Every structure is written in C-alpha cells, then in structure tokens.
Amino acid sequence: MPPIKIKQSPNPTAQTLTSTPSSQEARLLVRETLRISANLASAPASPSPAMSQPPPSSTSYSFVSPAQSVSLLDNTRRLGLVEDEFIDSSLRLICCEEIDGRRWKYVAENDSFGGYKKNSIRAVSLHTPQTPVEEMMSFIRTYVVPEGFPHSVTPSYVPYMTWRALKHFFGGAMGVFTTKALLSSVGASESKAISGAVAINWILKDGAGRVGKMLFARQGKKFDYDLKQMRFAGDLLMELGAGVELATAAVPHLFLPLACAANVAKNVAAVTSTSTRTPIYKAFAKGENIGDVTAKGECVGNLADLLGTGLSIMITKRNPSMVASFALLSCAYVFSSFQEVKSVVLHTLNRARFSVAVDSFLKTGRVPSLQEGNMKENIFSFPWLKERLVLGPRFKDAFQDPSAYLAIEPLFEKERYIVTYNPSKDQVYALLKDQAKPDDILKAAFHAHVLLHFIHLSIDSHSSSWKQRPVGHSNHILSANDLEARIADSCKMVSTLYGPFKSKAAEQGWRMSDSLLNPGRARIVETC
C-alpha cells in the first residue's frame, strides 16, 4: 500500500475552525474528534455483550485497519484538527488504548518504502491535561484506596474507613495530651531521683504493658467469635489507659503504678486491634486483594493519626484546659469507634447476629438481610452481663433435679443435643452430645431460641406485668408439667421451622456452614 501523505488543506472551513477558538480549545476539539472517530472506526460489526465495554480497571486495545486510519486522518486533516506535530507527515493510526477509563491513540509514521520508521510511534491523549489539584488527588488515591475501587471492595468499605479515619484522628490528638502528661510527671519525679531511676521507671512501664499483652492473648477464638464486641471493648480499654496516663500529671509520685496500669490497658487494646484487623479487612475484600485493602486501610489510619497529632500540637500551644480537651476528644473517639464497628458487614453468624436472625424469623417469618442483621447486632457484650441462652454448658448447671432430665431425655433421643430451661436461673440451656456436628450445634442454638420464645409467650399469657417482674422471679409461673409441655411443643416447631430458616438465611447471604456460635466444651457421652 503506498504511503499516505497528509498535508495541510487550504480549506476555508478549516481555517475558520482553527482561527476562531483559542489554542486550548483547539486541542480539546482535536482530542474529542479523534476519540469519536476512533470509536466508530474500531467498533466491530457485531460486538458480543461480554466484550462491548471493557472493565474500568483493565487495559484494552482497539486495532484500526489501514483504510479506516486513512479515512480518520483525512477527515481530521480536512477539518484542520490534526495536531501540529503530525501535519505534513505520513501517519497511520495503529491502535487505541484504555487504562482505568483514560484513552490514548497510537500513530506511527510511514517511510518511503511502505514500512514504518523506527521509533516513530507516538501517543495522542484524548483527555485534557489534569490540573495540579487533580494530579495531587490522583496521587493520594493511590495510597488510600485499593486498586479498582469501588469495584474491588464491598459497599460497607467507605463508611468503615470514614469512621476509622475519624477514630485515628481523635486518637492521635489525645496522644499529644497523654504524652505531655507523662513527660510532666516524669519531670516532677526527676527532681527527687536521678535520671537512671527515671529511665528504670519508664522501662518498667513498658515491660508491664508487654506482660499484659501476652496474658490477654489467651482469649484465642473470642477474637473470631465476637469480633466486633472485642474490637469495641479494646477501644474502650485504650481510652481507659489514656485517661490513667493523663492522671499521672495530677499525682506524679504515683507515676510508676499508674503508668504501668495504663500501659497494660493500652497493650491489651493493641492485641485486640491487631487480632481483629485481618477478619474485618477480609470482609471488605472482593477476590484476592486482602493485602491491598489492608495496606490502604493502615495508610488511612496513619494519615489520620498524623493529622490529629498536628492539630493537637497547635491546640496545646494555646494552653487549653487539658481535662476538658481530653474529655471532648475521648467522646469523639468512642463514638467514632462505635460507628466503625457497626459499619462492618460480616457474613457469618455469631451469637449476637444469630439471635437477631432467629428472633426476626420467629416474629415475622423472615430472616434479616446482611446489612440489617449487622446493624441490629448488640455490640455491648460485657462479661458481667447475664446470658439468657447457654450453649454447651456443664450438666450440673442445667439440671439439679434428676427427674427433670429423665422426663425430657426421650424427646431428644434422635437429636445430638438436649434443650432445657432452668427456672431458678431463668436461663435456657442447650447441652451437646459427643456426636454433635456443626449443624447440630446450629440446630441446638435455634431450638434454644424457640424454647425461650415459648417460655416468654407462656409467661405473658399468665401475667401482662411480666416485663415489670425482675429477672429470675418468673419461676413460680411455670410448673414442671408446663415446662415439659413447652419443651415438647418446641420440638415439634423446630422440626418444621429449622429447614426453612436455614434456606431463608442462605438466600440473604448468611454463611450457615461457618457459624461462630462458640459453644462450651462440655459434651454428654452415652457410656462412661
């Protein structure tokens, strides 16, 4: 094919188009015309639905035939819309490229023999040059959001990272006040002791924190079962430790015990944060990008921490009230922490989310969605709170009367668990047999909730003032015969409802095979 010579045309229309607008407007017209013309030239005759539009994060190429390239360049030449550097040269459009939604056209220059000149490929961008602000924002995005965002993460990622950034911002601001208090306390004690003693006190403080970190690590699987609860409790411990550090300024002679206690609390909080970080980020990742999500999440936290520290340094120069400033920042920190863990959407069922799902199913016949179930999950789970349902308890805790066990044992002959109610403790117990599998544990927990539902209905039917009755004082209403009847009714209901419950839960996206109900280790064995 002979080389294509492109020369500037004396077309008056072209002169009008190129002389009227400014240089910047002409360049915009060039890029837009090339983009439209190349799209029309490179479009296949019958594109398949799957390939009609490449994904925004991919690099795609559209190759153009020689005839199409001649037509495209000839049209732009006649309109006077060819870049100045390509006028009076032999060019051919080679291909089109797209990277993350941005497009380029590649052209090459022909030689006199019908081939291409070496190193003649040139790229023509179809986008206007970015402003310095846009370039800066693009640079920052590479550090704070995962590649392919927002398609590479779940929708709950944005609110979580927003609250996480705010939490770290306020945490960094509080760190300035607590460090100032610690240094002030050490300075006060320095007048009474040599510098070596001060250093020893500081080392003992750090050593106590490390010991507390090791002791708390024995919590083990609780970091998986009650992830949100442990995370929020850890943030509360962090606040407690910061408050104790602040108190050292008021009583500098108690620096060592207070600083040790504060460091223990803060190191325990650090263990909690580290242990729950990966499962949370895993819930946001789509595909195998958990490393990218984790790296960007930590970058956001560190950036917010630095900004908070800088702001707090500026505030401290004005000598504000340390107690008032700390109290305000603490409230903001705790609120941000609470909203942070509430925004996490997990697909697994722990005890809190399982209770929400079963209660909704028994009352309305529907299982809540992932978003609804996570939002209704109770985050405040403290060791001293009494649980109404005990899964996998010791036999002696569930039964004090042998006749009570012998009366209901035949009802569960075909099951791998036994469910009962202890009126003296106002608790439902789900005892597990040694052959119990994960699905049996899930069914036992479901049965326990059904029995608790029946007991509440029975109590309500006897007295409308049950809600005003203190917990543990409803045992006189249910006799032994009534209790056996309620347990028998619950067995019939469970056999009918357990299957539909699992199906509806799976339809909503809950992972029933990965339940995190954390049962006790006690099991009933048939032979001793």
Side-chain angles (χ1 to χ4, degrees):
M1 178 179 178
I4 303 170
K5 299 294 184 178
I6 299 180
K7 298 181 180 179
Q8 188 170 12
S9 172
N11 191 329
T13 306
Q15 294 176 358
T16 304
L17 289 174
T18 54
S19 60
T20 302
S22 63
S23 176
Q24 181 67 19
E25 292 173 342
R27 288 180 176 270
L28 293 177
L29 267 161
V30 167
R31 296 189 177 93
E32 184 63 20
T33 303
L34 283 174
R35 181 183 69 80
I36 297 173
S37 302
N39 286 343
L40 294 175
S42 60
S46 56
S48 60
M51 299 298 294
S52 61
Q53 184 176 1
S57 61
S58 65
T59 303
S60 60
Y61 298 90
S62 300
F63 293 93
V64 183
S65 66
Q68 291 172 331
S69 67
V70 171
S71 175
L72 172 65
L73 293 175
D74 188 55
N75 289 337
T76 55
R77 179 184 63 80
R78 288 198 307 270
L79 292 174
L81 296 177
V82 179
E83 295 285 356
D84 295 339
E85 57 184 318
F86 296 140
I87 295 177
D88 293 328
S89 63
S90 300
L91 301 176
R92 179 179 296 174
L93 183 62
I94 303 299
C95 72
C96 307
E97 180 185 54
E98 179 175 333
I99 303 177
D100 296 332
R102 299 177 61 82
R103 292 195 174 192
W104 285 264
K105 309 301 178 188
Y106 288 89
V107 295
E109 186 175 355
N110 289 338
D111 58 16
S112 58
F113 302 100
Y116 294 104
K117 292 183 179 181
K118 291 184 178 180
N119 302 321
S120 65
I121 293 181
R122 303 183 185 185
V124 180
S125 175
L126 299 182
H127 293 267
T128 57
Q130 289 184 318
T131 63
V133 175
E134 291 175 337
E135 290 182 357
M136 177 62 68
M137 294 303 297
S138 179
F139 176 76
I140 293 175
R141 277 194 295 270
T142 61
Y143 280 91
V144 299
V145 296
E147 292 185 14
F149 177 86
H151 305 288
S152 61
V153 292
T154 60
S156 58
Y157 175 81
V158 174
Y160 172 81
M161 292 309 303
T162 301
W163 290 111
R164 175 176 173 80
L166 287 174
K167 185 186 77 171
H168 280 269
F169 177 82
F170 295 120
M174 285 189 302
V176 174
F177 290 97
T178 57
T179 303
K180 181 179 179 181
L182 287 173
L183 293 177
S184 174
S185 180
V186 171
S189 63
E190 192 174 2
S191 60
K192 301 179 182 178
I194 60 176
S195 58
V198 174
I200 291 174
N201 284 350
W202 199 273
I203 293 172
L204 289 175
K205 171 185 75 72
D206 292 341
R210 291 184 176 90
V211 171
K213 180 186 293 187
M214 291 186 296
L215 294 177
F216 192 70
R218 70 181 296 272
Q219 296 296 323
K221 288 189 174 182
K222 284 187 177 181
F223 295 117
D224 299 312
Y225 294 140
D226 299 322
L227 186 152
K228 296 183 185 180
Q229 291 77 5
M230 296 293 289
R231 182 64 171 264
F232 185 64
D235 287 337
L236 292 180
L237 277 176
M238 182 68 75
E239 277 302 292
L240 177 63
V244 174
E245 284 181 342
L246 193 71
T248 58
V251 282
H253 58 284
L254 297 178
F255 169 80
L256 184 58
L258 290 179
C260 287
N263 224 30
V264 168
K266 296 181 77 171
N267 275 271
V268 167
V271 171
T272 304
S273 176
T274 304
S275 303
T276 57
R277 181 183 306 153
T278 301
I280 289 177
Y281 285 138
K282 186 178 179 180
F284 296 130
K286 284 185 176 180
E288 300 299 327
N289 63 334
I290 184 173
D292 186 24
V293 173
T294 302
K296 301 303 169 54
E298 292 307 297
C299 182
V300 170
N302 292 331
L303 179 62
D305 187 90
L306 290 174
L307 292 175
T309 301
L311 176 64
S312 187
I313 290 174
M314 291 189 293
I315 292 177
T316 52
K317 291 182 179 180
R318 300 173 179 251
N319 295 321
S321 172
M322 186 174 295
V323 175
S325 300
F326 181 82
L328 182 62
L329 292 173
S330 295
C331 292
Y333 180 89
V334 172
F335 179 76
S336 299
S337 174
F338 179 77
Q339 294 296 332
E340 177 194 19
V341 295
K342 290 290 286 185
S343 64
V344 178
V345 178
L346 300 175
H347 293 247
T348 53
L349 288 168
N350 65 349
R351 292 195 182 189
R353 293 187 292 275
F354 187 78
S355 297
V356 172
V358 177
D359 289 343
S360 175
F361 179 75
L362 294 177
K363 294 177 181 178
T364 65
R366 57 176 292 271
V367 175
S369 63
L370 293 174
Q371 187 74 27
E372 182 183 356
N374 280 270
M375 286 300 297
K376 291 183 178 180
E377 178 183 2
N378 183 21
I379 303 299
F380 298 95
S381 178
F382 301 105
W384 57 84
L385 296 179
K386 183 179 180 181
E387 294 185 3
R388 297 294 304 276
L389 191 152
V390 184
L391 187 61
R394 298 286 303 275
F395 183 86
K396 64 178 182 180
D397 295 330
F399 295 99
Q400 281 78 42
D401 186 2
S403 60
Y405 169 72
L406 296 175
I408 66 172
E409 196 273 337
L411 298 174
F412 300 93
E413 184 177 0
K414 296 182 180 180
E415 303 291 349
R416 294 176 180 175
Y417 64 88
I418 297 176
V419 174
T420 187
Y421 172 72
N422 191 328
S424 62
K425 298 181 179 180
D426 195 25
Q427 289 179 310
V428 174
Y429 294 89
L431 296 89
L432 302 174
K433 299 180 181 179
D434 58 343
Q435 310 95 339
K437 297 293 187 284
D439 187 68
D440 299 309
I441 296 174
L442 193 68
K443 187 175 182 180
F446 180 80
H447 196 148
H449 278 280
V450 172
L451 178 59
L452 189 63
H453 180 72
F454 269 105
I455 291 173
H456 286 173
L457 292 178
S458 178
I459 294 175
D460 289 340
S461 64
H462 283 78
S463 174
S464 60
S465 61
W466 175 80
K467 291 184 179 180
Q468 286 75 33
R469 191 178 297 108
V471 176
H473 290 271
S474 60
N475 56 323
H476 64 279
I477 295 180
L478 286 179
S479 63
N481 292 333
D482 289 337
L483 179 58
E484 293 175 15
R486 298 295 175 270
I487 295 176
D489 292 339
S490 68
C491 290
K492 297 177 183 178
M493 178 171 283
V494 168
S495 63
T496 304
L497 297 180
Y498 180 64
F501 169 75
K502 287 185 62 178
S503 300
K504 291 184 178 182
E507 290 174 1
Q508 293 291 348
W510 296 104
R511 296 174 185 169
M512 305 302 293
S513 59
D514 300 329
S515 60
L516 303 174
L517 299 180
N518 191 21
R521 294 178 293 173
R523 298 293 184 271
I524 298 176
V525 294
E526 295 181 357
T527 58
C528 299

